[in-house]
Amino acid sequence: MTANVAGYLLQMLASRWLGVTGYSEFASLLAVQLLCAVPALALQNVVARELVRGSSVAALRGLQWRCAVIVAVVAAALIPVVTAVLNVGVLAGAAALGAAPALVLLSGEQGILQGSRRFRALAVVLGAAGVARVVPALVILAAGGGTAPALCAAAAGIVVASAFARSTAGAPPVRIRPAIAPATGPSPDVTAEGPMPGFAVDEAGTRDDVRSVGDRPTAQGVRSVGVLPVLRAAQVQAALMALSSADLIIARIVLDEADASRYALGAIAAKIAFWLPQAVGVVLYPRMAQPTHSARAIRDALAVLSGIGIVAVSGAALAAPVAPLFAGQDYAPIQGLLWLFALQGAILAVLQGALLSAIAVDRTALAAVTWLGLVVEVVLMACFARSVPTLITTAVGVAAVTTIFVAVIVLRTADRSGTAELPSASG
């Protein structure tokens, strides 16, 4: 919540300080930066999944550095493309893309915390990263700086946050298994919420005492992890992030400067509804990666995400009349559409939960449905959308149809997998 509020505060204040003519550039580059976070989000999911499955932390940290180097090379190559397509300054484009390698390193450490279910430490890292990214950018904007200096300051904050995350995650753990497992019942450190802090529990319920003793992986499940699983997860995350950000980029192309800025401000409501329930996926993801708990975790996630989405849309509808008081009267024309923006974000949050479950069980081919939805959205917007209402209505419609298809497939697959995992009557 701290990270999300900080992000929304950045966009709200930037919309006022940069004005209706300058905010579009800032918002479009933030959308590009979100797309650059795709490899980072994919890495976090893969690291958490592989840690649950027994990979060593040392091996996973080696993977995150390899991914960071690859991302840095690709980001450098994309700077002239982004500059030309969005008609922005070279420094601004470089600042937006330059944060990508640091995001990869930050997310790798977050994956270690998530996979080991150290949710309190993960919460501290997430909140600190949001503040470290936003505060320097706000200082620059408040001092009269433009888009490029603000994005440079945000990138520097992400670098600091990645170093803090590495320090918080600490040294790789060593697991020492007791010689004799308990005869009956779970270990006393197992609760309804999972193992207590300081212990790891295998699928049989045996307790593993966890001690940080340096980079010494034990013989227990030293799994090597290559870049390929990250690439598979990345294309799932890329499909989701592209679908959630394509409308902002297209708005910059097909609308005039004022309407593009209004659309960008309305999209803040979509981002709030999209990121508000992020903790649901974070907490349930390790269970999604375990075959015996996956189906239940997926159903729980989709149900909770849908409920939070209803609340978010209702809140946007009620808060719409006061939006111009915070953003300025230039944005009054879109206040009646805020509930639609929130609906788009809420639907995409459910889609994110469904796709996370696909990554957790390494069935990433499902992303093809989302890629198809993205193509349909881009074609419809480029050919027919020339106003803010048309753009957001198209985005909501495509997101809804895509989410329904993906959710149905995920739930059916989970039910079949869960049935296959049940022990036989004679087992």
Side-chain angles (χ1 to χ4, degrees), residues 7 12 48 84 131 188 214 228 232 265-266 319 349-350 369:
M12 289 292 294
V131 172
L228 186 58
R232 289 199 299 266
L265 185 72
V350 177
V369 178

Side-chain angles (χ1 to χ4, degrees), residues 191-340:
T191 68
E193 297 300 320
M196 289 175 62
F199 298 95
V201 181
D202 64 13
E203 292 184 6
T206 305
R207 190 182 79 179
D208 289 344
D209 192 7
V210 177
R211 303 188 180 103
S212 292
V213 295
D215 297 339
R216 292 187 300 154
T218 65
Q220 178 197 359
V222 179
R223 292 165 51 92
S224 61
V225 185
V227 175
L228 186 58
V230 180
L231 293 177
R232 289 199 299 266
Q235 62 94 17
V236 179
Q237 293 286 357
L240 176 66
M241 293 303 152
L243 190 62
S244 67
S245 302
D247 56 331
L248 267 174
I249 297 173
I250 294 175
R252 170 84 176 168
I253 298 171
V254 302
L255 300 179
D256 60 41
E257 194 77 20
D259 277 347
S261 291
R262 293 187 183 104
Y263 191 94
L265 185 72
I268 296 177
K271 300 307 178 188
I272 292 174
F274 179 59
W275 293 111
L276 177 66
Q278 185 183 17
V280 176
V282 170
V283 172
L284 291 177
Y285 183 83
R287 296 185 185 181
M288 293 179 186
Q290 295 177 320
T292 54
H293 301 291
S294 180
R296 174 65 182 272
I298 293 169
R299 287 194 296 270
D300 288 348
L302 296 184
V304 174
L305 290 170
S306 299
I308 294 175
I310 293 172
V311 173
V313 174
S314 301
L318 293 174
V322 301
L325 299 179
F326 293 97
Q329 290 302 317
D330 286 335
Y331 298 97
I334 65 163
Q335 71 179 56
L337 299 173
L338 287 181
W339 72 272
L340 265 179

Side-chain angles (χ1 to χ4, degrees), residues 5 98 119 145 168 282 316 324 341 356 395:
V5 169
F119 294 124
T168 302
V282 170
F341 282 99
L356 274 177

Side-chain angles (χ1 to χ4, degrees), residues 36 54 118 128 151 260 403:
C36 291
R118 294 166 60 190
L151 290 174
T403 300

